[in-house]
Amino acid sequence: AQSVTQLDSQVPVFEEAPVELRCNYSSSVSVYLFWYVQYPNQGLQLLLKYLSGSTLVKGINGFEAEFNKSQTSFHLRKPSVHISDTAEYFCAVSDLRGSQGNLIFGKGTKLSVKP
Amino acid sequence: SQTIHQWPATLVQPVGSPLSLECTVEGTSNPNLYWYRQAAGRGLQLLFYSVGIGQISSEVPQNLSASRPQDRQFILSSKKLLLSDSGFYLCAWSRGGPAETQYFGPGTRLLVL
């Protein structure tokens, strides 16, 4: 079975500062990795995903994430955040062998960008 | 392009009352469909998924049920709501397979009193 741990439930940061949101996963099989963002009172939308190839993945809104297999991590980064990045961010994994495409989500990290 | 709709947007129901939440997808055919519940501090919990009409898989035993009467329609129901059913319910669709993106609806906020 897979599990996802997002160590930080809340991350406050000032505008234009860099940010890293941490994600670690546990799985006995290979997985695909995803980051989703949820703005207040909305559904989730995909930021980026890692399937194969380069371990550095670039997504929308200037975010990027790096897959580290040895550390089973997939941390999300942005070099300079904006007020509009205030949202909740979810890391998720899916089993390569699963045909249903079911995702296992972490509990989320609330990013709060202050002026 | 594809769109996903959920209604109602918000719902306040008394304990013991029935529930019906609806989700419809446009612009695609034979999607995988998912129901999630999001409770504060607990992330997203997958409740049900469906790979086709009439095919429902339950991930968590509870007093909720799901049905898929049409290819692009997914319904979440309950005969008698509990206080613990309160939360934000999200419907999602994908093209199936572990690499595919899931596309989420706007959600329904349910408050059981």
Side-chain angles (χ1 to χ4, degrees), chain B residues 51-64:
Chain B
V51 299
I53 296 174
Q55 301 179 61
I56 307 295
S57 297
S58 174
E59 289 292 299
V60 181
Q62 58 216 315
N63 69 318
L64 299 172

Side-chain angles (χ1 to χ4, degrees), chain B residues 43-93:
Chain B
L44 276 79
Q45 180 184 37
L46 179 63
L47 302 175
F48 301 94
Y49 67 90
S50 171
V51 299
I53 296 174
Q55 301 179 61
I56 307 295
S57 297
S58 174
E59 289 292 299
V60 181
Q62 58 216 315
N63 69 318
L64 299 172
S65 62
S67 62
R68 185 171 176 172
Q70 300 180 45
D71 182 44
R72 291 168 289 174
Q73 184 184 29
F74 205 23
I75 297 172
L76 183 69
S77 304
S78 174
K79 292 182 179 178
K80 287 186 178 182
L81 284 168
L82 306 173
L83 287 174
S84 57
D85 291 324
S86 292
F88 192 48
Y89 288 81
L90 289 160
C91 181
W93 75 272

Side-chain angles (χ1 to χ4, degrees), chain A residues 61-77:
Chain A
N61 301 339
F63 283 92
E64 62 182 31
E66 185 153 20
F67 169 56
N68 187 318
K69 188 174 182 179
S70 62
Q71 297 187 6
T72 60
S73 68
F74 190 51
H75 300 333
L76 182 70
R77 302 184 183 100

